[in-house]
Amino acid sequence: MMADTDPDAELASDGGSDPAPKTDGRGETELARLTQWLRQRPNSIELWELVVTDERLVWCFVGESYRSMLLRADMGHRDRALVDDSRLEELLGLDEANFAVPLENLESIQLTEGTRFRRARLEIEWDDQAGTRYGGSMTLVSTSDADLQRERVAALADEPRLEGVAVAVESPRWSLF
């Protein structure tokens, strides 16, 4: 007599509900995604996504919006989705502005939480041996629809691969403002 098998039961028994960390073909493992960040420039706003792996910090440029109301466009959503759907080894090739910083070159990652009137700020410094156009540091601010990323950054402080990196999460001095 044949036993009935439930396809849902088979799926549940093969690994549970926790997804495995994303890896690429070289064995690189994703540690965190820092999403919905922007860099304010004099005439524009650059949109960025960051992916921290066990080997590097990948900076993904996802668009630019100009401050002029005539030129303003929301360009980030399509490219943010593209970064989210891409494999780790594809990230650098998505845009010519994308670059990576090896973890051993990172010096600090500091998140200052946002308040009611101020957006969160993420400051990253690295030893710029590769000569990136950003000179070894960048300050980003969160977009208006960014989620809280305190736990993601705080978890990086416990990551063994980042033991030489000063990782900090700070609350603003005046929490009401």
Side-chain angles (χ1 to χ4, degrees):
M1 183 170 205
M2 293 183 88
D4 291 329
T5 58
D6 182 14
D8 292 331
E10 289 177 18
L11 289 174
S13 67
D14 71 346
S17 62
D18 291 337
K22 291 184 182 180
T23 61
D24 71 357
R26 302 177 325 194
E28 189 174 10
T29 303
E30 179 180 310
L31 302 176
R33 284 192 183 243
L34 305 174
T35 61
Q36 302 284 333
W37 293 98
L38 59 91
R39 178 177 182 230
Q40 296 179 348
R41 305 290 299 152
N43 296 323
S44 67
I45 299 169
E46 298 175 349
L47 307 170
W48 292 90
E49 299 283 297
L50 289 81
V51 179
V52 183
T53 72
D54 60 347
E55 297 178 12
R56 59 193 175 150
L57 170 61
V58 182
W59 296 76
C60 299
F61 178 79
V62 292
E64 187 171 18
S65 181
Y66 293 91
R67 292 181 183 244
S68 166
M69 291 303 281
L70 297 174
L71 298 175
R72 183 169 288 179
D74 184 15
M75 300 179 57
H77 292 293
R78 181 182 58 86
D79 288 339
R80 286 186 199 281
L82 182 63
V83 168
D84 195 41
D85 293 339
S86 296
R87 295 188 321 258
L88 295 175
E89 69 268 13
E90 299 172 332
L91 293 177
L92 287 178
L94 294 177
D95 192 281
E96 64 184 30
N98 293 0
F99 67 99
V101 175
L103 291 187
E104 56 268 6
N105 291 4
L106 280 178
E107 294 175 354
S108 69
I109 300 172
Q110 180 176 339
L111 173 68
T112 304
E113 294 181 296
T115 65
R116 179 177 293 153
F117 300 109
R118 288 191 169 209
R119 295 183 183 193
R121 187 175 68 243
L122 182 66
E123 298 174 66
I124 300 178
E125 294 180 355
W126 63 93
D127 181 8
D128 196 24
Q129 295 175 355
T132 64
R133 69 179 187 173
Y134 302 102
S137 70
M138 193 181 298
T139 299
L140 305 170
V141 295
S142 64
T143 63
S144 58
D145 53 341
D147 58 339
L148 297 176
Q149 298 183 44
R150 176 182 179 74
E151 290 79 23
R152 292 179 199 161
V153 175
L156 291 175
D158 297 330
E159 181 58 42
R161 296 286 306 207
L162 293 169
E163 67 183 349
V165 179
V167 179
V169 177
E170 295 181 356
S171 296
R173 283 187 262 166
W174 302 97
S175 61
L176 296 176
F177 301 104

